[in-house]
Amino acid sequence: MTEHAIVGGTREDAPAVTGERADLLALLAKARHFLRFPARGLTDEQAGLRTTASELCLGGLIKHVTSCERGWVDFILEGPSAMPDFSAMTEADFQRRADEFRMLPGETLEGVLADYEKVARRTDELVVSLPDLDASQPLPKAPWFQADTHWSARLVLMHIAAETLQHAGHADIIREALDGAKSMG
């Protein structure tokens, strides 16, 4: 994975942005750091270990956040058709979704992190280039979304950051249970 220094909330190789967009980039960068940090120095095997009662492992959490971020950016660009109709998912659909939460045979932590970096770069480019953060789309069908609700690109980006931070907390707990390493403290 290639690391990029953050300057004013953006990567060194990204165009300079200010205001709300710079704030969004800084928030996303911080959230991503706290998700990736617990995976530092781990082997592929360690990244795939379950250390709590849940099905979660560090590599799987990063895969899940990568998939979610990719899907939400597709939603900003293409609308609800870019996401599944969650109310019509089959058992096979649910199994594929469950595979997001674990390291599968042949997957490596390096590969998972590289995929996450690629998705993050695409999101950051969208934050910089999107003509209007107020542009909104109707949410896809899902039992957890209120019908006839629209989200702006801004709200979707904040949701990506919130989800990433939530899973960063999970990652921290999993890592501490693995070998006692902590992100803070």
Side-chain angles (χ1 to χ4, degrees):
M1 181 178 88
T2 305
E3 290 291 328
H4 299 278
I6 304 299
V7 179
T10 63
R11 295 178 175 148
E12 284 181 345
D13 57 346
V17 293
T18 59
E20 177 181 26
R21 291 173 194 262
D23 291 345
L24 285 168
L25 289 170
L27 177 61
L28 288 165
K30 185 175 196 170
R32 291 177 187 133
H33 167 77
F34 282 112
L35 178 66
R36 288 187 312 256
F37 191 71
R40 71 197 179 282
L42 294 182
T43 66
D44 296 337
E45 180 183 0
Q46 290 171 314
L49 289 176
R50 292 176 42 213
T51 62
T52 66
S54 80
E55 293 289 324
L56 301 175
C57 67
L58 284 168
L61 277 174
I62 296 167
K63 282 176 54 179
H64 170 68
V65 172
T66 301
S67 175
C68 288
E69 185 167 329
R70 181 185 297 116
W72 281 112
V73 168
D74 289 346
F75 170 81
I76 290 171
L77 296 170
E78 303 167 30
S81 65
M83 299 180 93
D85 176 348
F86 293 100
S87 64
M89 287 178 65
T90 66
E91 190 62 38
D93 295 329
F94 282 111
Q95 182 57 52
R96 279 190 297 279
R97 190 157 172 85
D99 286 345
E100 288 180 3
F101 290 94
R102 56 183 157 258
M103 296 281 288
L104 300 176
E107 291 181 329
T108 64
L109 180 58
E110 180 180 10
V112 167
L113 289 168
D115 192 32
Y116 187 44
E117 176 65 24
K118 181 179 172 185
V119 168
R121 182 174 298 279
R122 177 180 178 231
T123 303
D124 290 353
E125 290 168 357
L126 182 67
V127 170
V128 172
S129 67
L130 194 67
D132 184 4
L133 293 175
D134 288 326
S136 69
Q137 302 278 9
L139 289 174
K141 289 183 182 178
W144 49 86
F145 291 138
Q146 184 177 359
D148 300 318
T149 301
H150 288 66
W151 277 13
S152 68
R154 176 186 301 99
L155 183 55
V156 171
L157 292 164
M158 291 187 307
H159 176 74
I160 290 169
E163 173 131 347
T164 304
L165 287 165
Q166 177 182 10
H167 288 308
H170 298 144
D172 210 27
I173 291 167
I174 292 168
R175 178 61 189 259
E176 188 172 357
L178 178 66
D179 63 6
K182 298 178 183 178
S183 294
M184 301 178 89

